[in-house]
Amino acid sequence: MSGTCVIGLQWGDEAKGKLVDLLAPRFDWVVRYQGGANAGHTVVAGDETYKLHHIPSGILHSDVQNVITPGVVINPTTMLQEIDGLQARGIDVFQNLKVSERAHLVMPWHMIEDATINATAVRGESIGTTNRGIGPCYRDKVGRTHAIRMIDLIEGSRDERIATVAEQKQVLLNNLGASEEELDSIAPEKMVALAASWAERLAPMIADTTDMVLDAAEANQKMLFEGAQGALLDIDHGTYPFVTSSNSSGVGVCAGAGVPPKWINQVLGVCKAYSTRVGGGPFPSELEDETGEKIRKLGNEFGTTTGRPRRCGWFDAVAVRYTARLSGVTRLALMMMDVLAHFDELKVCVAYELDGKEIHRVPAHAEQLRRCKPIYETIQGWNTPVDDARSVDDFPPLAMAYVKRIEELVGIPVGVLSVGPDRAQTIFTEESKVMGL
């Protein structure tokens, strides 16, 4: 079996969705294994643009089985809205999507809890959550007492379970300072009715995806595992506490999807040719100047989910080398090369200066990383559009020199180059052959 992972190596928004959509026809399954509706994948197919949040990016291919596994947290209302939007555009999601019965649900009280806590900045800086209830849901998952899973929607004890947790959440949120209107919105009778409406529509999609995925693996079917967010947002290994609430690096695939490591043999690490991040937290190579603004405008760097402007900076080879090693990357996908085609001079962060010392690792403490000053290497830009490139031979020599330098610094060959959002604007190098792409 060919188990291939697509993992973002920065702070998310690396264009993973485009690659999963493009690669999906070569696989039997597309497996989403972590995150929630805080992730946003944009897929461009011809003249159509699809913005996906819960649903795997392989959904546009009717002959590919898509699954959402236990590591994902699901807001059923958001998911149904997404399904309805796709159905209206002729995509019958119910034909090729299954959702794990073990996946946890983001309930309305989680969003209230998220917004209430996030409104209180920590020493003047918010973690930068999207207020979609993801963190509180994962917190309840680990805490167990107040957790609601997909399987609870189709169990006979559903109404009692939902009502009991709603009552307890009203008490807890009242103590946190939630408004009367917010508390009324999660009244037990309202939550019971809402859960019943979810169950009515989602029941046909609920399945034991762990058993399905393991059966498929043992039958030598090809699987593409789709990550959400980026590896630098990993709850255990990212720029904590300015991270997401799940394992968004390659180390999260096995636990989130329910597959042992032996079924995964290739990892495609996706990164932009520069760096971006959304929300708070340290960002050593950030450019708070005209150059950063130019990158933002050229790359249309605004969040798929929130519309927030992304912070932009030069490529950080220290960070990407770290996440590539962490995720077991076998080949890189270097995206947004078209954006850098408008500069005479480029820079790459090759090391950090921390308290007067040069280091080549990502510090674990956010305050240490915040004190890191980027040590740059200057590289000559090619200042020639590459939007129409369809092979490596179409790239200017200076553009390929930039690619080669990224390979040297990260220690991984580049297998994919992207020069725009369309499927056709993707080039597979000779190095991609090792992945069977």
Side-chain angles (χ1 to χ4, degrees), residues 282-295:
F283 181 4
S285 67
E286 182 174 11
L287 297 170
E288 298 180 274
D289 57 13
E290 292 180 0
T291 301
E293 183 60 27
K294 182 177 179 179
I295 292 174

Side-chain angles (χ1 to χ4, degrees), residues 246-264:
S246 58
N247 289 115
S248 53
S249 67
V251 299
V253 179
C254 296
V259 293
K262 70 176 182 177
W263 298 121
I264 300 170

Side-chain angles (χ1 to χ4, degrees), residues 75-155:
N75 180 326
T77 296
T78 300
M79 184 172 176
L80 286 168
Q81 289 171 348
E82 194 170 337
I83 288 172
D84 289 343
L86 289 168
Q87 297 277 95
R89 299 171 74 174
I91 300 166
D92 190 359
V93 174
F94 288 91
Q95 293 300 310
N96 64 329
L97 176 63
K98 293 296 182 182
V99 183
S100 174
E101 59 190 7
R102 294 178 171 87
H104 285 246
L105 300 188
V106 178
M107 301 296 290
W109 51 70
H110 289 135
M111 287 176 281
I112 297 172
E113 184 177 343
D114 206 357
T116 301
I117 293 175
N118 196 42
T120 304
V122 179
R123 295 190 178 181
E125 184 171 20
S126 168
I127 287 176
T129 169
T130 58
N131 287 339
R132 280 165 169 73
I134 310 300
C137 181
Y138 276 112
R139 185 185 300 129
D140 279 347
K141 174 180 178 176
V142 176
R144 295 157 293 165
T145 303
H146 298 125
I148 306 291
R149 299 194 298 169
M150 189 65 74
I151 197 170
D152 292 324
L153 293 182
I154 54 176
E155 278 292 303

